[in-house]
Amino acid sequence: MTTSLGADQSERTETPSAATSGKELRGAHLDDAHLRGPNLSGADLRRADLFCANLSGANLRDADLSGADLSGADLRRADLFCANLRDANLRGANLRGANLRDVNLRDAGLRGANLRDANLFGADLSGADLSGANLRRVNLRGVDLSGADLSGANLFCANLRGVDLSGADLRDANLFGADLSGADLSGADIRGANLSGTNLPVIGAITALKWSSMTLWGRDTGEIWARSVEQSEGVYVLNPTGRQADAFADH
């Protein structure tokens, strides 16, 4: 493992002290480091290499981790309140039970990440890649997921009330038992998704939602069929807009 923190780094790799709070660690190489429980609040970790690092229980409040490589990192129960993780690579990271309240995760890569039991209230996940992520029973109220890639994600019994999912990719996602009441699904893609037992928004309020014959609705199927137009074989658009709306009128 290589570092860029100075000559005495070998003494700090295992258990950094509270003196690291606010320290500039921009571009540091801390891959595979064991940093469990350190105080890194306010630290500058922009573009840092934290591949597979152990940061479980770490205090990273207000830290700047934009562009950092946290792929495969252990962030269980870490406190990332108000941290900046924009464009960060968190692919396969373990964020179970982490505090991600008001975190900036815009355009972040979270493919295959474990977010179970994490607190994501007020987080910005717009444009993020959450494909295949574990969001089972996660409370996502107040989260911006517009344009996010949630294809193949596990959203079993997740709380998505009032969440902005406009333009999101939810293909093949598991939304069984999820609460989507009041959510914005305009322009989203739910082809092949499982919505069995899901609490849906008002059907008439959903616009340009793409679905397929493989989508499992579970309820309101009569109204959904009546309000949809076939776009291509086996692919439909619920409450289409623009030219598709004209086709719907003819339908």
Side-chain angles (χ1 to χ4, degrees), residues 15-231:
T15 55
S17 69
T20 57
S21 178
K23 186 176 181 67
E24 169 138 0
L25 301 169
R26 180 169 43 181
H29 294 280
L30 295 162
D31 47 308
D32 290 311
H34 294 276
L35 301 166
R36 186 167 53 189
N39 180 7
L40 292 164
S41 59
D44 185 352
L45 287 154
R46 284 175 287 173
R47 298 182 298 281
D49 183 359
L50 290 155
F51 172 76
C52 285
N54 185 348
L55 289 157
S56 58
N59 179 0
L60 288 156
R61 292 169 74 95
D62 296 303
D64 190 349
L65 289 145
S66 54
D69 183 4
L70 288 150
S71 53
D74 185 352
L75 287 154
R76 285 174 296 170
R77 300 177 301 282
D79 187 357
L80 289 143
F81 175 75
C82 278
N84 182 10
L85 286 151
R86 182 167 184 167
D87 293 313
N89 179 8
L90 289 144
R91 183 169 182 167
N94 189 350
L95 290 145
R96 183 164 185 171
N99 180 15
L100 296 164
R101 180 166 181 153
D102 295 324
V103 166
N104 181 2
L105 281 159
R106 190 167 187 171
D107 299 319
L110 289 146
R111 185 170 188 172
N114 182 8
L115 290 148
R116 186 170 179 176
D117 302 321
N119 177 10
L120 285 153
F121 184 84
D124 184 357
L125 283 154
S126 56
D129 180 2
L130 288 150
S131 54
N134 183 3
L135 293 152
R136 184 184 175 96
R137 297 186 186 277
V138 171
N139 183 1
L140 292 160
R141 287 194 71 176
V143 175
D144 186 353
L145 285 163
S146 57
D149 184 353
L150 288 150
S151 56
N154 183 3
L155 290 151
F156 175 86
C157 288
N159 184 353
L160 292 152
R161 293 189 68 182
V163 170
D164 186 356
L165 285 159
S166 57
D169 185 352
L170 288 152
R171 287 175 297 172
D172 301 315
N174 179 17
L175 288 150
F176 182 92
D179 187 353
L180 283 161
S181 56
D184 184 358
L185 287 163
S186 57
D189 189 344
I190 58 168
R191 284 177 289 172
N194 180 5
L195 289 94
S196 301
T198 300
N199 191 9
L200 297 170
V202 176
I203 301 303
I206 304 170
T207 58
L209 178 66
K210 186 179 289 188
W211 61 283
S212 71
S213 55
M214 299 301 292
T215 301
L216 299 177
W217 288 103
R219 53 166 291 194
D220 299 319
T221 52
E223 184 179 2
I224 289 163
W225 276 105
R227 288 180 170 272
S228 297
V229 62
E230 190 169 20
Q231 184 180 64

